[in-house]
């Protein structure tokens, strides 16, 4: 009867088999990695107690410590993030233009720019900071340059992609009016990518605030530096104050960024 | 009348051996609206875009007021393009700029980068832009953003931008194809009478045969990359249309 053949199945037999095999592989991989990370089970069962103990030692936070040192470090963190973001912008802009194949129709230059951008992104901020602490010595200078170098790749990649998506029609019209390429960038590309550009910069600044608050762990200035000192000397009440500060800052930055981004588009 | 634009043996092949234009010879005089008709993919657009070199011709010559355009590059090409106005099917305005800024882009070929950045255009240009806004019926729209306009309004701005160049010829690539019938007529009127007012020839690619008949002083029919009809609208017969578009069912 015809009704028998009217059975519908989402996956064919081959697909079902493939999916089952895939799930088994995932399960095997999870099992293998659990074995690989050498869980010390005594420590794991002990964890809730340890957390409670640490929380107890952190309480009450040493709020008097804030005006003494935390505020100064917080401002330093702000400066590292902001100046680093601005510097990254200066380098990312030309690299983004070189990476966008519609603006730079030269495969060798595209590849060069993309390699620079990937190199910047492939190194973590903390590693960049370690390198620049070695170059500039410990302090906010190393942190600022580290933030800038890590951000170039991020900003350049996203901006380059935004440039490549600019609608060709308006550019063609400017070209037909005899505009030079720089005028085309100014009047065609820039207005089109402006909202994306500011949105990318705000997002990166937001990330950089968070990243620069830990860079001090390797000596590159800011909140991380005093946090490291507090942890090393077991002053958990101070650590609590610093963590609360970071939390408050992240919330405030989030609010500020959301406020400005809404006005961009 | 003197010939201002002379196209000789124009061939364009996007892929070697597959020419879209197969040797076009056309002369255009210093006045009048020429409509180029033909089915899609027949090379109308390529022909018009070859004139201002948005498309690079494979072979042939394009002589514009005594200057050979087909091989020039760089500064010479930019300076030649400044003298040629162009109107596009999709208007091609810079969406996020104001109407006034869009008009002034017609002067970008003349203004230095720094002045352009600071929006410092000669007072003459700004005054002319305001006059053109009056002409196209968009007075008071100067500070409105282009993306807030309707299709017809955008195309008017597109025409005004081309006129800002004070062009010596006006090209229009399917200027009415994205517009409703009433707006299409208005846009064609604008193109026709601006051509007359500024004493420049107008070349229009167009799908709509009736519009072409109504506004053109001369019609060029193309099929398969060659010109198969060239004459005044009165001479365009149904037989010609069959030749240009193929078939005849659509004519009834």
């Amino acid at each position: 009867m015809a009704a028998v053949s009217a059975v519908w199945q989402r996956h064919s037999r081959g697909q079902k088999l493939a999916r089952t095999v895939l799930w088994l592989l995932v399960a095997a991989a999870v099992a293998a990695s659990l074995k690989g990370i050498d869980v010390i089970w005594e420590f794991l069962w002990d964890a809730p107690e340890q957390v409670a103990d640490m929380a107890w030692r952190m309480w009450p936070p040493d709020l008097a410590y804030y005006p003494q040192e935390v505020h100064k470090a917080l401002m330093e963190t702000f400066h590292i993030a902001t100046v680093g973001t601005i510097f990254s912008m200066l380098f990312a802009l030309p690299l983004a233009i070189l990476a966008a194949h519609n603006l730079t129709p030269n495969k060798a230059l595209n590849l060069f720019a993309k390699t620079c951008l990937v190199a910047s992104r492939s190194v973590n901020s903390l590693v960049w900071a370690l390198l620049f602490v070695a170059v500039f010595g410990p302090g906010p200078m190393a942190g600022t340059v580290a933030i800038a170098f890590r951000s170039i790749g991020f900003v350049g990649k996203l901006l380059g992609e935004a440039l490549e998506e600019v609608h060709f029609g308006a550019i063609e019209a400017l070209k037909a009016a005899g505009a030079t390429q720089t005028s085309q960038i100014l009047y065609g590309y820039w207005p089109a990518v402006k909202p994306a550009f500011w949105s990318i910069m705000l997002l990166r600044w937001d990330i950089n605030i968070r990243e620069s608050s830990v860079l001090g762990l390797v000596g590159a200035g800011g909140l991380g530096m005093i946090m490291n000192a507090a942890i090393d000397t077991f002053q958990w009440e101070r650590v609590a104050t610093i963590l609360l500060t970071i939390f408050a800052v992240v919330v405030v930055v989030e609010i500020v960024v959301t406020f400005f981004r809404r006005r961009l588009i | 009348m003197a010939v201002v634009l002379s196209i000789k043996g124009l061939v364009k092949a996007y892929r070697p051996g597959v020419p879209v234009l197969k040797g076009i010879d056309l002369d255009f005089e210093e006045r009048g609206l020429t409509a180029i008709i033909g089915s899609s993919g027949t090379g109308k657009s390529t022909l018009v875009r070859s004139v201002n070199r948005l498309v690079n011709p494979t072979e042939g010559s394009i002589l514009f007021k005594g200057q050979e355009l087909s091989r020039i590059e760089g500064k010479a090409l930019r300076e030649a393009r400044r003298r040629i106005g162009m109107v596009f099917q999709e208007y091609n305005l810079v969406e996020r700029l104001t109407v006034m800024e869009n008009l002034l882009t017609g002067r970008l070929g003349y203004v230095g980068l720094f002045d352009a950045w600071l929006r410092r255009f000669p007072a003459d240009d700004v005054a002319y832009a305001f006059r053109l806004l009056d002409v196209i019926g968009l007075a008071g729209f100067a500070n409105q953003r282009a993306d807030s306009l309707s299709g017809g309004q955008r195309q008017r701005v597109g025409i005004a931008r081309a006129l800002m160049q004070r062009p010596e010829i006006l090209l229009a690539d399917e200027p009415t194809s994205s517009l409703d019938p009433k707006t299409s007529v208005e846009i064609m009127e604008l193109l026709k009478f601006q051509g007359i007012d500024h004493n420049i020839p107008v070349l229009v690619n167009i799908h709509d045969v009736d519009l072409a008949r109504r506004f053109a002083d001369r019609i060029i029919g193309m099929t398969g990359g060659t010109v198969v009809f060239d004459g005044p609208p009165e001479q365009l017969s149904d037989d010609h249309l069959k030749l240009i578009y193929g078939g005849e069912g659509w004519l009834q």
Side-chain angles (χ1 to χ4, degrees), chain B residues 172-212:
Chain B
D173 189 13
E174 311 257 7
T176 60
S177 297
S178 306
L179 300 171
D180 64 67
K182 176 170 170 282
T183 313
S184 296
V185 169
E186 291 166 3
I187 291 297
M188 285 305 286
E189 278 176 344
L190 194 57
L191 286 171
K192 167 115 183 166
F193 294 114
Q194 287 307 305
I196 293 172
D197 282 358
H198 295 92
N199 224 347
I200 53 174
V202 183
L203 262 67
V204 183
N205 272 343
I206 191 160
H207 268 301
D208 189 323
V209 178
D210 292 330
L211 273 183

Short mmCIF file of all heavy atoms in Angstrom, two decimals, chain B residues 172-212:
data_model
loop_
_atom_site.label_atom_id
_atom_site.label_comp_id
_atom_site.label_asym_id
_atom_site.label_seq_id
_atom_site.Cartn_x
_atom_site.Cartn_y
_atom_site.Cartn_z
N ALA B 172 23.33 57.61 -18.14
CA ALA B 172 22.40 57.06 -17.16
C ALA B 172 22.23 55.58 -17.44
O ALA B 172 21.82 55.18 -18.52
CB ALA B 172 21.07 57.79 -17.24
N ASP B 173 22.59 54.76 -16.43
CA ASP B 173 22.54 53.31 -16.58
C ASP B 173 21.26 52.78 -15.93
O ASP B 173 21.19 52.64 -14.72
CB ASP B 173 23.79 52.71 -15.93
CG ASP B 173 23.93 51.23 -16.23
OD1 ASP B 173 23.22 50.74 -17.11
OD2 ASP B 173 24.76 50.57 -15.57
N GLU B 174 20.24 52.52 -16.72
CA GLU B 174 18.94 52.04 -16.22
C GLU B 174 18.40 52.91 -15.08
O GLU B 174 18.08 52.40 -14.02
CB GLU B 174 19.07 50.60 -15.69
CG GLU B 174 19.77 49.67 -16.65
CD GLU B 174 18.80 48.76 -17.39
OE1 GLU B 174 17.59 48.97 -17.22
OE2 GLU B 174 19.28 47.89 -18.12
N PRO B 175 18.27 54.19 -15.29
CA PRO B 175 17.91 55.08 -14.17
C PRO B 175 16.50 54.87 -13.66
O PRO B 175 16.18 55.31 -12.55
CB PRO B 175 18.05 56.49 -14.79
CG PRO B 175 17.82 56.28 -16.25
CD PRO B 175 18.39 54.94 -16.56
N THR B 176 15.64 54.21 -14.43
CA THR B 176 14.24 54.09 -14.00
C THR B 176 13.86 52.66 -13.63
O THR B 176 12.73 52.41 -13.23
CB THR B 176 13.29 54.55 -15.13
OG1 THR B 176 13.51 53.72 -16.27
CG2 THR B 176 13.54 55.99 -15.51
N SER B 177 14.81 51.73 -13.74
CA SER B 177 14.44 50.31 -13.57
C SER B 177 13.98 49.96 -12.16
O SER B 177 13.32 48.96 -11.96
CB SER B 177 15.60 49.41 -13.96
OG SER B 177 15.90 49.60 -15.33
N SER B 178 14.37 50.76 -11.16
CA SER B 178 13.95 50.43 -9.79
C SER B 178 12.79 51.31 -9.34
O SER B 178 12.48 51.35 -8.15
CB SER B 178 15.12 50.61 -8.83
OG SER B 178 16.24 49.88 -9.26
N LEU B 179 12.16 52.01 -10.28
CA LEU B 179 11.14 53.00 -9.88
C LEU B 179 9.77 52.64 -10.45
O LEU B 179 9.65 51.92 -11.43
CB LEU B 179 11.55 54.38 -10.37
CG LEU B 179 12.90 54.89 -9.85
CD1 LEU B 179 13.31 56.16 -10.56
CD2 LEU B 179 12.84 55.13 -8.35
N ASP B 180 8.73 53.19 -9.82
CA ASP B 180 7.37 52.96 -10.32
C ASP B 180 7.15 53.77 -11.60
O ASP B 180 7.92 54.67 -11.91
CB ASP B 180 6.35 53.32 -9.23
CG ASP B 180 6.38 54.80 -8.89
OD1 ASP B 180 6.02 55.60 -9.77
OD2 ASP B 180 6.79 55.14 -7.77
N PRO B 181 6.10 53.46 -12.37
CA PRO B 181 5.90 54.09 -13.69
C PRO B 181 5.82 55.62 -13.63
O PRO B 181 6.43 56.31 -14.45
CB PRO B 181 4.58 53.51 -14.17
CG PRO B 181 4.41 52.25 -13.42
CD PRO B 181 5.09 52.42 -12.11
N LYS B 182 5.12 56.15 -12.65
CA LYS B 182 4.94 57.60 -12.58
C LYS B 182 6.29 58.27 -12.29
O LYS B 182 6.69 59.23 -12.96
CB LYS B 182 3.93 57.94 -11.48
CG LYS B 182 3.74 59.42 -11.24
CD LYS B 182 2.54 59.65 -10.32
CE LYS B 182 2.46 61.09 -9.86
NZ LYS B 182 3.42 61.39 -8.79
N THR B 183 7.00 57.74 -11.29
CA THR B 183 8.31 58.30 -10.95
C THR B 183 9.28 58.16 -12.12
O THR B 183 10.09 59.05 -12.37
CB THR B 183 8.87 57.59 -9.71
OG1 THR B 183 7.85 57.53 -8.73
CG2 THR B 183 10.05 58.34 -9.14
N SER B 184 9.17 57.04 -12.85
CA SER B 184 10.04 56.83 -14.01
C SER B 184 9.88 57.95 -15.01
O SER B 184 10.87 58.48 -15.54
CB SER B 184 9.71 55.50 -14.69
OG SER B 184 9.97 54.42 -13.83
N VAL B 185 8.64 58.34 -15.27
CA VAL B 185 8.39 59.42 -16.22
C VAL B 185 9.02 60.71 -15.72
O VAL B 185 9.68 61.44 -16.46
CB VAL B 185 6.87 59.60 -16.44
CG1 VAL B 185 6.58 60.88 -17.20
CG2 VAL B 185 6.29 58.40 -17.17
N GLU B 186 8.86 60.98 -14.41
CA GLU B 186 9.42 62.22 -13.84
C GLU B 186 10.95 62.24 -13.96
O GLU B 186 11.54 63.28 -14.27
CB GLU B 186 9.01 62.35 -12.36
CG GLU B 186 7.53 62.64 -12.21
CD GLU B 186 7.03 62.43 -10.79
OE1 GLU B 186 7.86 62.12 -9.90
OE2 GLU B 186 5.82 62.57 -10.56
N ILE B 187 11.55 61.08 -13.73
CA ILE B 187 13.01 61.00 -13.82
C ILE B 187 13.46 61.21 -15.26
O ILE B 187 14.44 61.93 -15.53
CB ILE B 187 13.52 59.64 -13.26
CG1 ILE B 187 13.32 59.58 -11.74
CG2 ILE B 187 14.97 59.40 -13.63
CD1 ILE B 187 14.11 60.61 -10.96
N MET B 188 12.74 60.61 -16.20
CA MET B 188 13.09 60.80 -17.61
C MET B 188 12.94 62.25 -18.03
O MET B 188 13.76 62.80 -18.77
CB MET B 188 12.23 59.89 -18.51
CG MET B 188 12.62 58.43 -18.49
SD MET B 188 14.34 58.12 -18.90
CE MET B 188 14.33 58.42 -20.66
N GLU B 189 11.87 62.89 -17.54
CA GLU B 189 11.68 64.32 -17.84
C GLU B 189 12.86 65.13 -17.33
O GLU B 189 13.40 66.00 -18.03
CB GLU B 189 10.40 64.84 -17.19
CG GLU B 189 9.16 64.53 -18.00
CD GLU B 189 7.88 64.95 -17.29
OE1 GLU B 189 7.92 65.19 -16.05
OE2 GLU B 189 6.84 65.02 -17.96
N LEU B 190 13.25 64.82 -16.10
CA LEU B 190 14.36 65.55 -15.48
C LEU B 190 15.63 65.38 -16.32
O LEU B 190 16.33 66.36 -16.63
CB LEU B 190 14.57 65.03 -14.06
CG LEU B 190 15.45 65.86 -13.13
CD1 LEU B 190 14.93 67.27 -13.00
CD2 LEU B 190 15.50 65.19 -11.75
N LEU B 191 15.91 64.12 -16.72
CA LEU B 191 17.12 63.86 -17.52
C LEU B 191 17.04 64.62 -18.85
O LEU B 191 18.00 65.27 -19.27
CB LEU B 191 17.27 62.36 -17.78
CG LEU B 191 17.74 61.52 -16.61
CD1 LEU B 191 17.62 60.03 -16.93
CD2 LEU B 191 19.18 61.86 -16.23
N LYS B 192 15.88 64.54 -19.48
CA LYS B 192 15.72 65.16 -20.79
C LYS B 192 15.92 66.67 -20.70
O LYS B 192 16.70 67.26 -21.46
CB LYS B 192 14.31 64.85 -21.31
CG LYS B 192 13.90 65.69 -22.50
CD LYS B 192 13.73 64.81 -23.69
CE LYS B 192 13.39 65.65 -24.91
NZ LYS B 192 13.54 64.88 -26.13
N PHE B 193 15.22 67.31 -19.75
CA PHE B 193 15.26 68.77 -19.73
C PHE B 193 16.54 69.31 -19.11
O PHE B 193 16.98 70.40 -19.47
CB PHE B 193 13.99 69.32 -19.07
CG PHE B 193 12.78 69.00 -19.91
CD1 PHE B 193 11.79 68.14 -19.47
CD2 PHE B 193 12.69 69.54 -21.20
CE1 PHE B 193 10.71 67.82 -20.29
CE2 PHE B 193 11.60 69.22 -22.00
CZ PHE B 193 10.61 68.36 -21.55
N GLN B 194 17.16 68.55 -18.23
CA GLN B 194 18.46 69.00 -17.74
C GLN B 194 19.49 68.94 -18.87
O GLN B 194 20.36 69.80 -18.98
CB GLN B 194 18.93 68.16 -16.55
CG GLN B 194 18.16 68.47 -15.27
CD GLN B 194 18.15 69.94 -14.94
OE1 GLN B 194 19.20 70.58 -14.85
NE2 GLN B 194 16.96 70.53 -14.82
N GLY B 195 19.37 67.92 -19.71
CA GLY B 195 20.24 67.84 -20.88
C GLY B 195 20.08 69.05 -21.77
O GLY B 195 21.07 69.65 -22.22
N ILE B 196 18.82 69.44 -21.99
CA ILE B 196 18.56 70.60 -22.84
C ILE B 196 19.06 71.88 -22.17
O ILE B 196 19.76 72.69 -22.78
CB ILE B 196 17.04 70.70 -23.14
CG1 ILE B 196 16.63 69.52 -24.02
CG2 ILE B 196 16.71 72.03 -23.82
CD1 ILE B 196 15.13 69.38 -24.22
N ASP B 197 18.74 72.04 -20.85
CA ASP B 197 19.14 73.26 -20.14
C ASP B 197 20.65 73.44 -20.13
O ASP B 197 21.15 74.56 -20.24
CB ASP B 197 18.65 73.20 -18.69
CG ASP B 197 17.17 73.53 -18.59
OD1 ASP B 197 16.57 73.82 -19.65
OD2 ASP B 197 16.63 73.48 -17.47
N HIS B 198 21.37 72.36 -19.93
CA HIS B 198 22.82 72.47 -19.83
C HIS B 198 23.51 72.24 -21.17
O HIS B 198 24.74 72.24 -21.22
CB HIS B 198 23.37 71.50 -18.78
CG HIS B 198 22.91 71.81 -17.39
ND1 HIS B 198 21.78 71.26 -16.85
CD2 HIS B 198 23.40 72.65 -16.46
CE1 HIS B 198 21.60 71.74 -15.63
NE2 HIS B 198 22.58 72.58 -15.37
N ASN B 199 22.68 72.01 -22.19
CA ASN B 199 23.24 71.88 -23.52
C ASN B 199 24.23 70.72 -23.63
O ASN B 199 25.32 70.87 -24.17
CB ASN B 199 23.95 73.20 -23.86
CG ASN B 199 23.61 73.61 -25.27
OD1 ASN B 199 23.06 72.80 -26.03
ND2 ASN B 199 23.93 74.84 -25.64
N ILE B 200 23.87 69.58 -23.06
CA ILE B 200 24.78 68.43 -23.11
C ILE B 200 24.01 67.21 -23.62
O ILE B 200 22.79 67.12 -23.44
CB ILE B 200 25.38 68.11 -21.71
CG1 ILE B 200 24.27 67.94 -20.66
CG2 ILE B 200 26.37 69.18 -21.30
CD1 ILE B 200 24.79 67.48 -19.32
N PRO B 201 24.71 66.28 -24.25
CA PRO B 201 24.05 65.06 -24.69
C PRO B 201 23.77 64.14 -23.50
O PRO B 201 24.51 64.15 -22.52
CB PRO B 201 25.07 64.43 -25.64
CG PRO B 201 26.38 64.98 -25.23
CD PRO B 201 26.14 66.33 -24.62
N VAL B 202 22.69 63.37 -23.59
CA VAL B 202 22.33 62.43 -22.53
C VAL B 202 22.21 61.04 -23.14
O VAL B 202 21.53 60.86 -24.17
CB VAL B 202 20.99 62.82 -21.87
CG1 VAL B 202 20.65 61.89 -20.74
CG2 VAL B 202 21.02 64.27 -21.39
N LEU B 203 22.89 60.06 -22.54
CA LEU B 203 22.81 58.67 -23.00
C LEU B 203 22.10 57.85 -21.93
O LEU B 203 22.59 57.79 -20.79
CB LEU B 203 24.22 58.09 -23.15
CG LEU B 203 24.86 58.05 -24.53
CD1 LEU B 203 25.12 59.46 -25.00
CD2 LEU B 203 26.13 57.26 -24.46
N VAL B 204 20.99 57.24 -22.27
CA VAL B 204 20.23 56.51 -21.26
C VAL B 204 20.03 55.06 -21.69
O VAL B 204 19.50 54.79 -22.77
CB VAL B 204 18.85 57.16 -21.03
CG1 VAL B 204 18.11 56.44 -19.93
CG2 VAL B 204 18.98 58.63 -20.71
N ASN B 205 20.45 54.13 -20.83
CA ASN B 205 20.08 52.72 -20.99
C ASN B 205 18.71 52.55 -20.44
O ASN B 205 18.44 52.97 -19.31
CB ASN B 205 20.96 51.86 -20.09
CG ASN B 205 22.21 51.46 -20.76
OD1 ASN B 205 22.30 51.54 -21.97
ND2 ASN B 205 23.16 51.03 -19.98
N ILE B 206 17.83 51.90 -21.14
CA ILE B 206 16.48 51.80 -20.61
C ILE B 206 15.81 50.52 -21.10
O ILE B 206 16.08 50.04 -22.19
CB ILE B 206 15.69 53.08 -20.97
CG1 ILE B 206 14.38 53.13 -20.20
CG2 ILE B 206 15.47 53.20 -22.47
CD1 ILE B 206 13.82 54.53 -20.12
N HIS B 207 14.98 49.95 -20.23
CA HIS B 207 14.25 48.73 -20.57
C HIS B 207 12.91 49.05 -21.22
O HIS B 207 12.38 48.29 -22.00
CB HIS B 207 13.99 47.91 -19.31
CG HIS B 207 15.06 46.92 -19.04
ND1 HIS B 207 15.39 45.94 -19.93
CD2 HIS B 207 15.87 46.74 -17.98
CE1 HIS B 207 16.36 45.22 -19.44
NE2 HIS B 207 16.68 45.68 -18.26
N ASP B 208 12.37 50.19 -20.80
CA ASP B 208 10.99 50.51 -21.14
C ASP B 208 10.93 51.19 -22.52
O ASP B 208 11.30 52.34 -22.69
CB ASP B 208 10.45 51.45 -20.04
CG ASP B 208 8.96 51.67 -20.17
OD1 ASP B 208 8.48 51.75 -21.33
OD2 ASP B 208 8.28 51.76 -19.14
N VAL B 209 10.43 50.44 -23.51
CA VAL B 209 10.42 50.94 -24.89
C VAL B 209 9.53 52.17 -25.02
O VAL B 209 9.87 53.12 -25.71
CB VAL B 209 9.95 49.82 -25.85
CG1 VAL B 209 9.88 50.35 -27.28
CG2 VAL B 209 10.90 48.63 -25.78
N ASP B 210 8.38 52.18 -24.30
CA ASP B 210 7.48 53.32 -24.41
C ASP B 210 8.13 54.60 -23.89
O ASP B 210 8.01 55.66 -24.49
CB ASP B 210 6.18 53.05 -23.63
CG ASP B 210 5.38 51.95 -24.32
OD1 ASP B 210 5.48 51.84 -25.56
OD2 ASP B 210 4.68 51.20 -23.61
N LEU B 211 8.83 54.46 -22.75
CA LEU B 211 9.53 55.62 -22.21
C LEU B 211 10.60 56.10 -23.19
O LEU B 211 10.77 57.30 -23.40
CB LEU B 211 10.20 55.27 -20.88
CG LEU B 211 9.39 55.41 -19.60
CD1 LEU B 211 10.27 55.08 -18.40
CD2 LEU B 211 8.84 56.82 -19.46
N ALA B 212 11.29 55.16 -23.77
CA ALA B 212 12.34 55.51 -24.74
C ALA B 212 11.74 56.28 -25.90
O ALA B 212 12.23 57.34 -26.29
CB ALA B 212 13.04 54.25 -25.23
#
